[in-house]
Amino acid sequence: MRGLVSGTDSFALAAPTRDLYYATIEFYASIGFIEAKSWSKQEGNRDDAYCADAHAEAWLLAADDESDDTAVLKIRLIPSPSSSTDSNSTQDPRASKDDWRSFTGQLTLRSRRLGAVISQLDAMNVIFKGYPAHSPTELCLRDPLGTPIAITERHHALSSLTSSDRASLDARRLRKASDAAALKQAILDDPSPTTSTSPNGTTKQNGKRKRIGVMTSGGDSPGMNAAVRSVVRMSIALGCEAYAIYEGYEGLVQGGDLIKQMTWEDVRGWLSEGGTLIGTARCLAFRERKGRLLGAKHLILAGIDALVICGGDGSLTGADIFRAEWPSLVEELISTGVLTADQCAPYQHLTIVGLVGSIDNDMSSTDSTIGAYSSLHRICESVDSIGSTALSHSRAFVVEVMGRHCGWLALMAAVSTGADFVFIPERPPFEADWQDKMCASIKRHRKLGRRITIIIVAEGAIDRELNPITPDMIKNILVDQLHLDTRVTTLGHIQRGGTPCFYDRYLATMQGCEAVHAVLESTPETPSPMIGITENTFTRNPLMDAVKMTHAVAQNIEKKDFAAAMDLRDPEFSENYETYIHTSQVRLDDPAFTLPDHKRLRVAIIHVGAPAGGMNSATAAVARYCLNRGHTPLACHNGFPGLIRHGHEGGVQELKWMDVDGWTMRGGSELGTNRDTPDIDIGMAAYQFQKHNFDALIIIGGYEGFSALNQLAQARVNYPSFRIPMVCLPATISNNVPGTDYSLGSDTCLNALIAYCDATKQSASASRRRVFVVEVQGGRCGYVATMAGLTVGALAIYTPEEGISIDMLARDVAHLKHSYALDRGENRAGKLILRNERASDTYTTDLIARIIATEAKGRFESRSAVPGHIQQGGTPSPMDRVRATRLAIKCMQFIEKHACSTTIPALPDETSSVIGIRGISVVFTPVHGLVHDEADHKHRRPKDAWWKHVATTLGILSGRSLPPAIVDRSEAQHDRPLQP
């Protein structure tokens, strides 16, 4: 007779209290279970599948990627009159039985990685026994409810084979995990809410969760709120509790309501907010030991022993002093009877992690600080606007920007706007008669036909004798010596205000996440780290080393050692200064800079692919560098079709200095661009190269430009005119060119996109329960969708790399329902989902919006939105302008290095390269190697994308990749009084 029972459906556990309910969910989540569905009494409309007596219920699923095996647990919250569990669950099993396998009602789970389970349980301080003891194949333990648990390697209860044995026999069944499975595993491999292998861990010795405080201090800067949001949410995701210290150090000194526990929803919508929503204030009391003693007391009472501080060098210095004094402060609190030894026992060490929030970008050991690029945006917008009125009246404008001890803002603004002159504290004018030199330079510009004069002055600008150089002083010089109608504009605090730009949101979010990991990995011996960034790599450097080098800059300026001051700035600062000199100062007849006749080149510039912000900036930089060096810059209009068909009819034009005036701030492509590559007529392309005597070629474009470079390099064997140095400068909003982490135009695109998404999200919030599905560009590369999703707080993203499935949509609809269930009726309730235009041929943007609307069953609405080509147009962002100018100069230096005779039959591979930012460096990579090793030609993108880990971070911060119980537990703390 066939058996009436064919297998196990699920196992149900009942928790008598809400704390045990959440603890049990997190226990099973830590050993690999994920939440498949859940319900709580607050939602109403209980499905018949849920227990009628339950106040909440979560169904957990553990699935084996290498088989169809699953295990389902149903965790139910069924309140009991007693707050404790039964006696069987609370007693120590070691007191009653020697062999734990004899317990009644044991739940047995199967694992393929018993060794990893043992490590996990050890990290959690969970008591267990292994059988056999010398080489366990089975573990016995209890969950938080007291349920007897066994975890075994056996493939089957009646089998003598373990999972590892069977794996060797069944190797043919192994298959590579899908992208979705890999993402899931990446989340599960992260330190979970109850497990951490770090020395500090996520729990303290008193058994309570680790509490991480976050505060902002010093001057406010755009992006601080994004940093606070990421610290709060990453702390919660990793099993810690997050606290905000309001009003900076004043909040530490005052304590009380200024130290507040933060929940997941408390920081919703903070990404787009300028300034700091948790406040900052000057605190003289904290500079005294008495004030720091009060700060230590309030932190201990709040149970906090880790601080993430976002501020400038003064704020971070104060934090490090606080950490150094912490042991003596604790000892004094005990000796004076303010706190007891038992109260202080778990808080013997204070962990400090620094994030640099400063619009001046004046901290050493990092390329950029939080807020600097947003401030630069404000400055460039203002100077661009001033340029219009200056042009109308042929006026001069002297613009003062912030930067008392650091000239970064002034220098970057000068590069980005093509200013005639710039004054910064690190590099005063060399000459004693600098006034005459400045006037001579402006005269040359005016003689060439320039109608406007823009001079940028940092507020800390000085001459070589340390005398201040003020805007009014410069104005008087221009009026008295050049008789120019001159105006002074001081931008002031407009530079601090406004919504943060894309880069500051990205920087603050990723650094905030890195700060939480740094807290959990810190030991008492670890120097306080400062989270920084070099090119495209996030770094941890000793905080005080960075502060000392920062202070050393000002000290060397005071000693008039300006060369040392420049050296102490990061290399990119000095490079940008030289870039500015090359592209803004007319040096056509300067024998110290101009090359001899035999080294002068005819350099062709061509745009290929779709337009992107920064193309014109790069072209202008190449042209002006060429003119100053004695080269001849040649503009090839309308891409390769224009060169091939009209090269003899004016399609190739020699550029003069004023031809590119004002191009730095122009979007699109002034030369004209299209997607055709030279293989439309490679022979005619070679003819035009020879006819116009090209000595070098710079291709500015996207994947088509990359392909064009490869075609020209391969054709060298047949066409001698292609045997010249050639370089591709990637410029595409899709950021899909192999050989670089960034392409020109991607930052401009993302700034346009987040402005669109912010406005869309505001509309969604006004309508309360509305979801917008926004379609973004990017071709078959998900970079734009991923980065925009991270920086606008999208609930989910869909990319070509990951694709879209019905299961994915079902999970995201469930996530939306859960998210709206947590809505407390406050503002910022709008939700966004971003879909790349090529993520799926089946699941279109409109279809996804309709699916969500249907499945919502009236709980919320759904709409679709398509920003379209707004992502390609507009004024280039300051970052794209600066990068374009800097990389263009490097391209020219590459060409000068590799200039050679076309009679050589075969040139080295490196003479046809792609310039790119990779990790911490700017590199030139031969196109031949990129084509064979790194390019995915079918999908027109790199095989491996550095930014894929950003999608994982996005999933965590949106809650999409986390068990709902983690967010629920956080929200359960809302409005609860502080519990030490």
Side-chain angles (χ1 to χ4, degrees):
M1 175 181 175
R2 173 178 288 184
L4 298 180
V5 177
S6 60
T8 302
D9 174 76
S10 61
F11 196 89
L13 303 173
T17 67
R18 188 170 293 275
D19 286 343
L20 278 175
Y21 173 71
Y22 288 129
T24 304
I25 291 173
E26 292 177 10
F27 172 81
Y28 285 105
S30 71
I31 58 174
F33 282 80
I34 60 174
E35 188 165 324
K37 57 188 297 187
S38 63
W39 170 85
S40 66
K41 194 172 183 179
Q42 289 80 4
E43 295 182 31
N45 300 324
R46 180 181 58 81
D47 190 291
D48 289 340
Y50 295 115
C51 176
D53 294 330
H55 286 208
E57 190 164 333
W59 291 13
L60 309 184
L61 170 70
D64 187 349
D65 289 335
E66 300 180 12
S67 71
D68 295 329
D69 293 344
T70 60
V72 177
L73 291 178
K74 298 179 181 179
I75 316 294
R76 292 166 177 157
L77 172 58
I78 303 178
S80 167
S82 171
S83 61
S84 62
T85 57
D86 58 42
S87 59
N88 184 52
S89 65
T90 57
Q91 67 181 2
D92 188 337
R94 294 172 295 182
S96 58
K97 297 182 184 292
D98 292 329
D99 193 328
W100 294 6
R101 292 173 292 184
S102 61
F103 287 117
T104 302
Q106 187 178 68
L107 169 62
T108 302
L109 304 173
R110 189 161 51 244
S111 171
R112 291 180 181 271
R113 300 186 299 156
L114 200 63
V117 173
I118 292 172
S119 298
Q120 193 87 318
L121 296 176
D122 283 337
M124 296 160 60
N125 294 322
V126 172
I127 302 170
F128 64 90
K129 280 190 175 183
Y131 301 93
H134 65 280
S135 181
T137 59
E138 182 177 5
L139 308 177
C140 293
L141 59 147
R142 286 185 180 239
D143 70 9
L145 293 174
T147 309
I149 304 294
I151 305 176
T152 180
E153 275 193 336
R154 288 195 305 275
H155 178 73
H156 187 276
L158 302 179
S159 172
S160 61
L161 292 177
T162 65
S163 294
S164 57
D165 295 331
R166 190 172 182 87
S168 62
L169 298 174
D170 250 355
R172 289 175 297 175
R173 297 180 55 198
L174 298 178
R175 57 184 171 83
K176 186 177 181 180
S178 65
D179 286 345
L183 177 59
K184 171 181 137 185
Q185 191 61 46
I187 298 297
L188 295 179
D189 286 345
D190 261 350
S192 67
T194 54
T195 63
S196 174
T197 57
S198 65
N200 281 358
T202 58
T203 58
K204 297 190 287 292
Q205 66 186 60
N206 60 358
K208 294 185 178 294
R209 296 181 182 279
K210 188 171 187 68
R211 293 177 175 179
I212 299 175
V214 59
M215 60 183 283
T216 54
S217 180
D220 65 291
S221 60
M224 280 183 163
N225 293 318
V228 173
R229 172 185 179 268
S230 66
V231 170
V232 168
R233 290 198 167 179
M234 185 57 76
S235 296
I236 293 171
L238 295 182
C240 305
E241 294 179 357
Y243 284 74
I245 290 89
Y246 283 71
E247 308 304 337
Y249 286 113
E250 187 67 26
L252 281 183
V253 174
Q254 296 295 332
D257 292 340
L258 295 181
I259 301 178
K260 175 187 173 185
Q261 183 171 2
M262 303 295 283
T263 70
W264 191 271
E265 289 293 298
D266 284 338
V267 292
R268 180 178 60 187
W270 282 29
L271 275 167
S272 59
E273 297 290 335
T276 166
L277 293 175
I278 63 173
T280 180
R282 294 186 181 276
C283 182
L284 296 178
F286 195 79
R287 296 186 179 183
E288 305 295 331
R289 181 178 172 86
K290 182 178 178 181
R292 294 192 289 274
L293 190 66
L294 286 172
K297 169 191 169 184
H298 293 138
L299 285 183
I300 292 173
L301 289 176
I304 300 169
D305 63 353
L307 281 179
V308 177
I309 300 176
C310 184
D313 60 336
S315 300
L316 299 182
T317 300
D320 196 72
I321 293 172
F322 190 36
R323 183 198 183 192
E325 289 184 350
W326 182 265
S328 65
L329 293 173
V330 172
E331 184 178 342
E332 185 174 342
L333 289 171
I334 296 172
S335 64
T336 56
V338 176
L339 297 176
T340 67
D342 288 343
Q343 283 178 299
C344 296
Y347 311 104
Q348 296 302 306
H349 304 284
L350 177 67
T351 301
I352 295 290
V353 177
L355 303 177
V356 191
S358 167
I359 67 167
D360 292 339
N361 200 18
D362 55 353
M363 182 66 79
S364 293
S365 303
T366 184
D367 286 350
S368 182
T369 58
I370 296 170
Y373 272 98
S374 296
S375 180
L376 185 58
H377 270 257
R378 304 291 98 77
I379 295 170
C380 290
E381 289 166 1
S382 300
V383 175
D384 289 350
S385 299
I386 286 170
S388 299
T389 184
L391 182 66
S392 301
H393 299 275
S394 191
R395 280 178 176 153
F397 273 83
V398 183
V399 181
E400 184 182 60
V401 301
M402 288 186 174
R404 188 167 302 137
H405 300 295
C406 179
W408 187 88
L409 281 176
L411 178 58
M412 296 303 109
V415 174
S416 301
T417 61
D420 294 80
F421 227 81
V422 64
F423 292 92
I424 59 176
E426 298 92 337
R427 190 71 176 264
F430 281 117
E431 306 85 358
D433 60 342
W434 61 266
Q435 299 92 333
D436 295 336
K437 296 291 184 180
M438 178 185 70
C439 290
S441 175
I442 293 171
K443 280 182 180 178
R444 285 195 294 270
H445 292 172
R446 291 276 176 164
K447 186 177 180 180
L448 289 171
R450 183 170 168 86
R451 284 178 53 83
I452 66 174
T453 298
I454 301 291
I455 297 176
I456 309 288
V457 185
E459 62 181 336
I462 52 176
D463 63 19
R464 298 192 72 78
E465 298 303 320
L466 307 185
N467 300 309
I469 296 178
T470 66
D472 286 332
M473 178 190 302
I474 296 170
K475 173 189 173 182
N476 293 335
I477 294 170
L478 297 181
V479 171
D480 295 341
Q481 296 191 29
L482 299 180
H483 308 294
L484 291 177
D485 184 5
T486 306
R487 300 286 189 273
V488 172
T489 298
T490 301
L491 297 182
H493 282 76
I494 193 174
Q495 298 162 83
R496 286 195 184 277
T499 186
C501 67
F502 155 73
Y503 185 75
D504 278 331
R505 299 188 195 192
Y506 165 72
L507 183 69
T509 298
M510 298 302 290
Q511 287 189 339
C513 294
E514 181 70 12
V516 176
H517 286 290
V519 165
L520 297 180
E521 294 166 14
S522 178
T523 68
E525 294 75 30
T526 306
S528 298
M530 183 200 81
I531 311 300
I533 188 170
T534 301
E535 295 294 358
N536 189 34
T537 300
F538 290 100
T539 59
R540 297 182 195 175
N541 295 299
L543 188 154
M544 290 312 298
D545 288 354
V547 170
K548 288 175 183 176
M549 285 191 287
T550 302
H551 290 168
V553 175
Q555 292 165 3
N556 279 285
I557 290 174
E558 291 176 3
K559 293 188 296 185
K560 302 181 184 180
D561 191 348
F562 301 108
M566 289 292 286
D567 289 341
L568 286 169
R569 292 289 182 213
D570 294 298
E572 189 176 336
F573 186 89
S574 298
E575 281 186 16
N576 281 316
Y577 184 83
E578 294 304 319
T579 293
Y580 169 74
I581 297 300
H582 291 327
T583 57
S584 67
Q585 303 297 304
V586 180
R587 304 168 70 178
L588 305 182
D589 302 314
D590 184 351
F593 192 72
T594 304
L595 294 172
D597 290 345
H598 69 281
K599 290 187 177 181
R600 298 181 181 184
L601 307 172
R602 291 173 60 83
V603 181
I605 311 161
I606 192 166
H607 295 178
V608 183
M615 279 183 158
N616 294 322
S617 303
T619 303
V622 170
R624 289 190 165 177
Y625 180 91
C626 284
L627 292 169
N628 275 334
R629 295 284 277 171
H631 304 310
T632 302
L634 301 168
C636 301
H637 292 278
N638 302 317
F640 280 101
L643 174 66
I644 291 169
R645 298 168 190 162
H646 307 291
H648 57 288
E649 299 174 353
V652 177
Q653 172 195 356
E654 184 176 331
L655 292 173
K656 303 298 184 183
W657 189 273
M658 289 304 298
D659 290 338
V660 296
D661 193 48
W663 281 24
T664 302
M665 61 189 73
R666 293 186 191 175
S669 167
E670 290 294 313
L671 298 187
T673 184
N674 57 59
R675 298 180 183 275
D676 288 325
T677 51
D679 60 353
I680 58 174
D681 192 341
I682 195 74
M684 183 56 70
Y687 167 76
Q688 295 293 355
F689 272 50
Q690 187 169 352
K691 175 185 175 182
H692 294 284
N693 194 23
F694 292 165
D695 295 315
L697 174 68
I698 294 179
I699 301 172
I700 304 173
Y703 201 91
E704 296 85 358
F706 168 77
S707 299
L709 178 64
N710 181 49
Q711 292 170 15
L712 294 172
Q714 288 183 330
R716 280 173 166 174
V717 65
N718 296 319
Y719 298 101
S721 58
F722 296 152
R723 297 171 193 167
I724 58 176
M726 298 183 288
V727 62
C728 174
L729 174 50
T732 168
I733 68 168
S734 302
N735 197 27
N736 63 339
V737 178
T740 184
D741 293 348
Y742 290 111
S743 298
L744 300 183
S746 59
D747 185 73
T748 300
C749 167
L750 285 163
N751 278 290
L753 191 55
I754 65 169
Y756 179 92
C757 288
D758 285 349
T760 303
K761 200 169 186 179
Q762 188 178 61
S763 171
S765 297
S767 305
R768 303 302 300 148
R769 295 176 175 266
R770 179 171 290 174
V771 181
F772 272 92
V773 183
V774 180
E775 180 177 295
V776 304
Q777 293 185 341
R780 293 192 178 278
C781 177
Y783 173 82
V784 171
T786 301
M787 290 298 188
L790 181 77
T791 51
V792 300
L795 214 67
I797 59 166
Y798 302 125
T799 63
E801 289 85 354
E802 188 177 15
I804 307 176
S805 68
I806 193 67
D807 290 339
M808 184 185 299
L809 292 174
R811 290 194 301 271
D812 288 338
V813 169
H815 180 43
L816 275 167
K817 291 179 179 178
H818 181 259
S819 178
Y820 276 117
L822 299 176
D823 184 13
R824 299 195 289 260
E826 300 172 353
N827 293 329
R828 309 186 184 100
K831 313 290 184 187
L832 293 182
I833 291 176
L834 270 54
R835 174 191 175 273
N836 172 278
E837 59 187 346
R838 304 294 293 275
S840 171
D841 294 332
T842 303
Y843 297 105
T844 64
T845 303
D846 286 337
L847 178 58
I848 293 173
R850 290 199 299 270
I851 289 173
I852 292 173
T854 301
E855 293 298 319
K857 301 186 186 304
R859 295 185 181 182
F860 46 86
E861 302 173 351
S862 180
R863 299 283 190 276
S864 61
V866 183
H869 283 75
I870 192 175
Q871 298 163 81
Q872 289 186 9
T875 302
S877 70
M879 175 172 280
D880 275 333
R881 301 188 203 185
V882 171
R883 277 187 182 152
T885 306
R886 177 181 173 222
L887 296 180
I889 299 303
K890 286 185 174 291
C891 287
M892 279 306 306
Q893 292 167 346
F894 169 88
I895 284 171
E896 289 176 336
K897 176 182 176 182
H898 292 283
C900 56
S901 171
T902 58
T903 59
I904 301 175
L907 293 179
D909 285 343
E910 61 264 23
T911 59
S912 53
S913 292
V914 176
I915 187 175
I917 297 172
R918 308 191 82 171
I920 63 172
S921 305
V922 176
V923 298
F924 289 88
T925 310
V927 69
H928 174 79
L930 292 174
V931 168
H932 286 85
D933 300 332
E934 299 187 31
D936 179 353
H937 292 291
K938 179 181 178 182
H939 298 106
R940 292 163 49 83
R941 66 191 184 210
K943 292 178 181 177
D944 298 311
W946 66 266
W947 48 265
K948 286 186 178 179
H949 72 281
V950 175
T952 303
T953 302
L954 188 158
I956 295 172
L957 296 183
S958 69
R960 185 191 189 199
S961 303
L962 300 177
I966 292 178
V967 179
D968 290 344
R969 180 180 57 77
S970 164
E971 288 306 299
Q973 304 299 318
H974 184 62
D975 291 335
R976 284 190 181 182
L978 184 65
Q979 298 293 327

